């Protein structure tokens, strides 16, 4: 099935508005008039009326895959949604979808920047606040720990309240956390900066589960994987800038007064940006388009909700899906490796190459920028081939080889080797993140994208916390 253009929708509506014979042979006039043009768009109630008037019958739970599977998933791996339609389901792509993705990418970028900004200058932060390494590590680790207890209520809210409400909550919490940090630039106020980071960690919970949902609600079947990778792109770019910018803005000068001034400059700049982004989300971020972007979404939109549906039952269906459980565990491992390296990279590099804080930031930048390239390439590839399982297997194998290379070349004493192995690691490990999201949605359709993505992220955060904690304990021994 392909996206229905406006001319086709006009033709369909015109046919529905014509008189037709009832069972007794008489003529029955249509009760309502449906108008579709560029000025007046369908709203959800209009869509329900269109379903009634066009005699569309849609059975709950189950036959096309989210991307209208073409055999890319094997056998039982593919869930289906059965449809029985007497008319094509109307769909349309809106130019606004690119604005939605841009806004999401920007505030996801800033949140990711705030996550990693302490880690990239962890030794400077420790000296300024006169605290221990473990306390500074927790400024990054708190995001991983907070995610697990908050993810299920947040995904429930996303299902109940919708995309716009969650986007506003995420942007407002990120803004609040940034402004709290501006009040922490004194050497005895480490607790205030930790509080600000905690608030940003809660905002992160709202953000990480949204890429698949944004892509599914706004983009067509031939671009949904690319859109998801673009959404992840924003988060990864924020991590990259978080590696690069703080070491440049806050140099390791040894003068704590200068460090305080530079920290204040950094915090106020981030707070100003988050304030602007909150305004943009409030003004321009919409819940969803007037018409569904793809036939798969049209099935979900027109479908009469199952009276027995509940969020808890959706979770239970996911937990008994063996393919999804296997993906959750393997995705958690590969993504946890990326998160753990991002958190501890500054310490790993500085221990092997003393005084190379800026180089550590550049290595982190390389890791993430190449990962962003991998994400975009994988998104294009999936949109054109739908080979989710095969792509996953290739990415897992190459990630393992890249991790082995990075581990055993870190201590060789050659920074250019570390740059090279970090680039390989970033391309395959960070590049897999959107692939995992999209594979999960394909395996669990028509369950909510935010629920499957949330469970994947929870797995990654738990395993990342365990890996990072074990790494810290090993260094202390």
């Amino acid at each position: 099935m392909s996206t229905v253009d406006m001319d086709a929708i006009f033709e369909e509506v015109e046919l529905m508005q014509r008189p037709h014979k009832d069972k007794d042979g008489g003529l029955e006039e249509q009760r309502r008039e449906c108008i579709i043009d560029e000025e007046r768009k369908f709203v959800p109630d209009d869509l329900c009326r269109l379903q009634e008037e066009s005699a569309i019958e849609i059975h709950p739970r189950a036959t096309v895959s989210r991307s209208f599977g073409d055999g890319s998933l094997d056998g039982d791996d593919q869930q289906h949604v059965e449809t029985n339609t007497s008319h094509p389901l109307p769909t349309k792509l809106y130019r606004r979808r690119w604005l939605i993705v841009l806004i999401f990418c920007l505030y996801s970028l800033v949140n990711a920047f705030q996550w990693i900004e302490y880690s990239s200058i962890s030794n400077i932060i420790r000296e300024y606040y006169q605290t221990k390494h473990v306390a500074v590590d927790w400024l990054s680790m708190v995001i991983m720990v907070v995610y697990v207890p908050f993810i299920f209520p947040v995904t429930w809210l996303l299902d109940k309240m919708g995309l716009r409400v969650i986007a506003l909550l995420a942007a407002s919490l990120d803004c609040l956390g940034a402004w709290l940090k501006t009040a922490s630039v004194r050497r005895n106020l480490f607790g205030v900066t930790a509080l600000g980071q905690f608030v940003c960690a809660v905002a992160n919970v709202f953000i990480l589960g949204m890429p698949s949902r944004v892509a599914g609600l706004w983009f067509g079947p031939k671009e949904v994987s690319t859109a998801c990778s673009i959404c992840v792109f924003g988060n990864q770019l924020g991590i990259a800038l978080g590696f690069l910018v703080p070491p440049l803005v806050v140099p390791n000068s040894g003068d704590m007064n200068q460090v305080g001034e530079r920290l204040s400059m950094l915090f106020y700049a981030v707070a100003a940006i988050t304030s602007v982004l909150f305004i943009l989300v409030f003004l321009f971020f919409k819940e969803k388009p007037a018409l569904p972007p793809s036939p798969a979404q049209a099935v979900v939109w027109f479908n009469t909700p199952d009276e027995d549906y509940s969020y808890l039952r959706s979770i239970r269906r996911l937990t008994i899906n063996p393919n999804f459980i296997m993906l959750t565990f393997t995705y958690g491992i590969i993504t946890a490796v990326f998160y753990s390296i991002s958190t501890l990279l500054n310490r790993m590099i500085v221990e092997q190459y003393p005084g190379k804080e800026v180089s550590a930031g550049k290595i982190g930048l390389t890791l993430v920028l190449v990962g962003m390239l991998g994400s975009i390439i994988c998104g294009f590839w999936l949109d054109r081939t739908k080979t989710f399982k095969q792509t996953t297997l290739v990415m897992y194998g190459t990630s393992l080889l890249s991790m082995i290379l990075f581990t055993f070349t870190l201590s060789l004493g050659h920074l250019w080797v570390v740059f090279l192995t970090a680039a390989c690691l970033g391309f395959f490990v960070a590049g897999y993140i959107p692939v995992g999201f999209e594979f999960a949605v394909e395996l669990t359709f028509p369950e909510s994208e935010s629920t499957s993505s949330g469970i994947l992220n929870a797995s990654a955060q738990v395993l990342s916390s365990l890996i990072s904690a074990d790494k810290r304990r090993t260094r202390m021994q």
Side-chain angles (χ1 to χ4, degrees):
M1 295 180 69
S2 60
T3 302
V4 181
D5 58 21
M6 288 304 300
D7 292 334
I9 296 176
F10 276 119
E11 181 179 354
E12 187 66 28
V13 173
E14 182 180 354
L15 289 173
M16 288 189 293
Q17 290 175 339
R18 293 176 183 172
H20 61 277
K21 291 185 179 182
D22 59 18
K23 293 181 181 179
D24 299 326
L27 293 178
E28 179 186 16
E29 296 292 335
Q30 294 287 349
R31 291 175 298 152
R32 302 182 183 91
E33 182 181 18
C34 295
I35 301 174
I36 305 178
D37 57 27
E38 289 297 329
E39 300 299 327
R40 179 179 174 186
K41 303 289 193 302
F42 271 126
V43 295
D45 289 342
D46 297 318
L47 292 175
C48 294
R49 288 197 293 271
L50 179 58
Q51 179 177 334
E52 292 178 7
E53 294 167 2
S54 59
I56 293 176
E57 180 183 1
I58 301 176
H59 301 288
R61 292 203 58 74
T63 88
V64 296
S65 76
R66 180 205 191 207
S67 59
F68 283 86
D70 48 10
S72 58
L73 299 180
D74 298 331
D76 294 336
D77 288 353
Q78 183 167 325
Q79 291 198 25
H80 297 287
V81 177
E82 293 181 355
T83 64
N84 179 13
T85 63
S86 58
H87 297 280
L89 302 180
T91 64
K92 184 183 178 190
L93 293 177
Y94 294 85
R95 287 192 297 268
R96 178 184 286 271
R97 69 190 187 279
W98 297 110
L99 176 61
I100 298 296
V101 163
L102 176 62
I103 293 174
F104 174 79
C105 282
L106 288 175
Y107 77 76
S108 177
L109 180 156
V110 177
N111 181 264
F113 179 92
Q114 294 200 78
W115 164 48
I116 210 68
E117 64 180 340
Y118 293 106
S119 179
S120 59
I121 51 173
S122 60
N123 57 323
I124 300 173
I125 295 294
R126 183 185 65 81
E127 292 177 11
Y128 180 76
Y129 286 110
Q130 299 175 302
T131 187
K132 298 179 180 179
H133 271 303
V134 65
V136 178
D137 287 344
W138 270 104
L139 292 176
S140 298
M141 290 283 294
V142 66
I143 285 184
M144 304 173 193
V145 175
V146 165
Y147 190 90
V148 177
F150 278 87
I151 182 56
F152 292 107
V154 166
T155 52
W156 179 83
L157 280 175
L158 184 54
D159 283 344
K160 293 295 182 181
M161 307 299 294
L163 199 61
R164 175 175 166 81
V165 172
I166 297 301
L168 284 169
L169 285 171
S172 60
L173 287 170
D174 212 30
C175 182
L176 175 61
W179 281 106
L180 281 172
K181 291 179 186 180
T182 63
S184 70
V185 188
R186 287 177 57 184
R187 302 192 67 182
N188 61 338
L189 293 180
F190 180 79
V192 178
T193 206
L195 176 61
Q197 190 73 341
F198 174 81
V199 174
C200 292
V202 177
N204 179 263
V205 182
F206 288 87
I207 292 171
L208 284 186
M210 291 177 65
S212 294
R213 186 66 169 264
V214 172
L217 284 177
W218 284 93
F219 287 83
K222 293 184 178 180
E223 57 187 17
V224 66
S225 295
T226 302
C228 183
S229 67
I230 293 173
C231 290
V232 174
F233 176 94
N235 189 270
Q236 293 179 343
L237 181 58
I239 296 173
L241 294 175
F243 278 122
L244 179 66
V245 174
L248 296 176
V249 177
V250 189
N252 190 7
S253 64
D255 183 351
M256 292 300 106
N257 290 328
Q258 183 186 29
V259 169
E261 292 175 1
R262 294 302 185 91
L263 279 175
S264 182
M265 183 188 306
L266 178 66
F267 291 157
Y268 272 105
V270 173
I273 293 171
T274 57
S275 299
V276 172
L277 289 174
F278 172 75
I279 295 172
L280 290 177
V281 171
F282 181 79
L283 293 178
F284 300 111
F285 199 95
K286 301 300 181 183
E287 169 65 27
K288 60 183 179 180
L291 286 174
S294 66
Q297 283 294 323
V299 168
V300 176
W301 287 31
F302 283 106
N303 187 24
T304 302
D306 187 349
E307 292 181 358
D308 293 330
Y309 173 83
S310 72
Y311 177 72
L312 292 178
R313 289 181 180 176
S314 177
I315 294 290
R316 186 168 61 193
R317 285 193 293 269
L318 293 178
T319 57
I320 61 175
N321 182 331
N323 296 307
F324 177 69
I325 293 301
M326 184 178 296
L327 177 65
T328 299
F329 183 70
T330 55
Y331 175 91
I333 293 174
I334 193 171
T335 309
V337 168
F338 173 68
Y339 288 163
S340 300
I341 291 175
S342 299
T343 301
L344 302 173
L345 183 63
N346 175 267
R347 289 182 61 186
M348 287 191 292
I349 299 300
V350 171
E351 285 183 6
Q352 298 293 334
Y353 306 90
K356 296 294 183 180
E357 290 87 0
V358 174
S359 294
K362 291 179 179 179
I363 290 171
L365 178 67
T366 301
L367 177 79
V368 180
L369 286 180
V370 178
M372 289 158 51
L373 176 64
S375 295
I376 298 298
I377 291 175
C378 287
F380 278 115
W381 173 258
L382 290 180
D383 276 331
R384 282 150 183 77
T385 67
K386 305 302 180 186
T387 54
F388 296 91
K389 181 176 180 178
Q390 296 89 329
T391 303
T392 294
L393 291 174
V394 170
M395 296 295 280
Y396 281 176
T398 50
S399 295
L400 174 61
L401 293 176
S402 299
M403 189 64 207
I404 292 173
L405 286 174
F406 180 80
T407 301
F408 289 101
T409 59
L410 182 62
S411 59
L412 290 181
H414 302 290
L415 272 174
W416 68 269
V417 176
V418 181
F419 273 96
L420 181 61
T421 55
C424 294
L425 187 66
F427 184 88
F428 296 112
V429 176
Y432 179 71
I433 294 176
V435 178
F437 284 159
E438 288 299 289
F439 196 11
V441 173
E442 289 294 323
L443 289 173
T444 61
F445 184 83
E447 305 295 348
S448 170
E449 297 98 329
S450 56
T451 304
S452 61
S453 297
I455 293 176
L456 289 187
N457 279 321
S459 172
Q461 303 291 5
V462 169
L463 292 173
S464 179
S465 300
L466 295 176
I467 292 172
S468 298
D470 181 69
K471 185 70 172 178
R472 289 198 313 273
R473 185 169 57 252
T474 301
R475 289 179 182 275
M476 292 174 63
Q477 290 176 350

